[in-house]
Amino acid sequence: METNQSTKVTVQAVVQAPVEKVWRYWSEPEHITKWNQASESWHAPKAENDLRVGGKFLTRMEAKDGSMGFDFFGTYDVVKLHEQISYTMEDGRTVEISFLKQGNETKVIEIFDAESTHSLEMQQAGWQAILDNFKKYTEESR
């Protein structure tokens, strides 16, 4: 299925943790490597993050069996502490993440530009799986 780069895809989750913890776990490399994968057969052995406007990030994603891997990277366009992060990926697509404080929990909403290689359903499922891993890791870590 061909998609247009202007097609937006949304994933979201409510994390049972305060926004300060959610923000920290989302942005600190030692935490990113623990949750940033779509399935148990993948992992993120390396993460770098310069969380500021103009700063860059890189996460190395690899199959645990060593059969494949890639670097996921981009540049931050907007950083509003405990509220919003927006970035542009290397291919020009954009991502906006909102952190909505709801008492002692946080709603995380990611909206990203779809790419044209994979179906919208596959992209949404993959990004949702990563967000679900983030939710699980954040809620289980104390």
Side-chain angles (χ1 to χ4, degrees):
M1 171 183 190
E2 285 296 310
T3 59
N4 182 319
Q5 282 196 357
S6 65
T7 301
K8 302 280 188 191
V9 179
T10 301
V11 297
Q12 58 187 322
V14 175
V15 182
Q16 303 299 313
V19 70
E20 296 82 6
K21 179 181 181 183
V22 169
W23 183 271
R24 190 171 71 251
Y25 279 41
W26 189 273
S27 61
E28 293 178 357
E30 63 267 26
H31 294 297
I32 295 169
T33 58
K34 304 287 192 290
W35 59 261
N36 203 350
Q37 60 273 337
S39 73
E40 288 295 318
S41 61
W42 281 72
H43 67 144
K46 175 184 173 186
E48 299 172 0
N49 197 21
D50 182 10
L51 185 59
R52 61 181 175 82
V53 174
K56 299 190 182 306
F57 69 89
L58 176 141
T59 303
R60 177 69 187 167
M61 301 173 125
E62 295 179 354
K64 289 180 180 176
D65 67 6
S67 63
M68 60 184 351
F70 62 94
D71 289 334
F72 180 74
F73 57 95
T75 304
Y76 290 110
D77 303 310
V78 176
V79 177
K80 295 180 183 173
L81 183 66
H82 301 156
E83 292 179 19
Q84 180 187 3
I85 296 171
S86 296
Y87 60 85
T88 302
M89 293 181 270
E90 72 280 2
D91 62 4
R93 294 182 299 130
T94 61
V95 179
E96 180 179 317
I97 306 120
S98 298
F99 301 85
L100 306 174
K101 182 178 182 173
Q102 299 177 332
N104 204 34
E105 58 186 32
T106 307
K107 185 172 190 177
V108 179
I109 304 169
E110 277 188 278
I111 302 170
F112 64 93
D113 292 332
E115 43 92 352
S116 59
T117 305
H118 301 93
S119 72
L120 289 174
E121 296 78 15
M122 178 183 267
Q123 292 177 69
Q124 185 170 31
W127 284 63
Q128 185 67 55
I130 293 169
L131 184 55
D132 291 346
N133 280 340
F134 171 76
K135 171 183 167 63
K136 182 176 187 237
Y137 171 74
T138 304
E139 290 177 352
E140 292 178 354
S141 298
R142 296 290 166 213

